[in-house]
Amino acid sequence: MAAKRRTDQALFGIVQGGLDQELRKQSADDLVAMGFDGYAIGGLSVGEEPALRNHTLGATTAHLPAGKPRYLMGVGLPDDLVEGVARGIDLFDCVVPSRHGRTGWLFTSFGRVLIRNAKYARDERPVDPSCACPVCKRYTRAYLHHLFLVREMLGVRLNTIHNLHFYAGMMEQIRQAIASGTFAEFRARYYERREQLRMQTDSLDEQDSRTLAASLAEEGQP
Ligand SMILES: [Zn+2]
């Protein structure tokens, strides 16, 4: 703390403790006593089951002051963001928008699009017709499909731009829901809608799972 000189930067303490609630509490209490600008939660999203992660997360944020920002490190998929916010998380960072984009996985308002699928080869629609990102405004699914198949770097960039736009838009909706006191409704609607759209989302086959697993192994975990 004494080493902190700059007033335009916030110094965060990182709560550790794995999946042990007692260690998490001890770590949180010790850091809160030191009086950081904000608190990060580390050591989650390292392969544990989402239910266990969420349980540990809720048990950890309970020991952090509500008036200071809380940052969940290395998380996650859209569901993880909704569940993180539900447990008091304000900030996230994750490689998912770009890493999944590199494997041709696009997040949309109607679920997952796997752009390598042959059904997109002549599909002249944008990835997500309701998306206002520069990629959806200018390019077709067929073009992104082609770029992916020929391993053109532009495809990876366009996929990432779209995914980042999706994530930013989702967080915008979450902030609006919190501001209007309707986050619980937002969360319920999110899962209802996901259930309704289950048939529209591209299913992950074995090859997709292998491609993603290989990509994860190559790059290492965040
Ligand atoms: Zn888009």
Side-chain angles (χ1 to χ4, degrees), residues 4 17 29 38 40 44 61 74 81 97 108 134 144 149 177 194 218:
K4 191 190 170 199
D29 288 348
L44 289 179
T61 50
L81 267 54
T108 74
L144 294 181
L149 287 196
R194 202 183 59 172
E218 238 171 60

Side-chain angles (χ1 to χ4, degrees), residues 131 133 135-136 162:
C131 177
C133 89
V135 179
C136 290
H162 166 82

Side-chain angles (χ1 to χ4, degrees), residues 126 128-138 161-162 165-166:
D128 183 344
S130 69
C131 177
C133 89
V135 179
C136 290
K137 280 196 176 143
R138 258 170 251 169
I161 290 169
H162 166 82
H165 195 272
F166 173 87

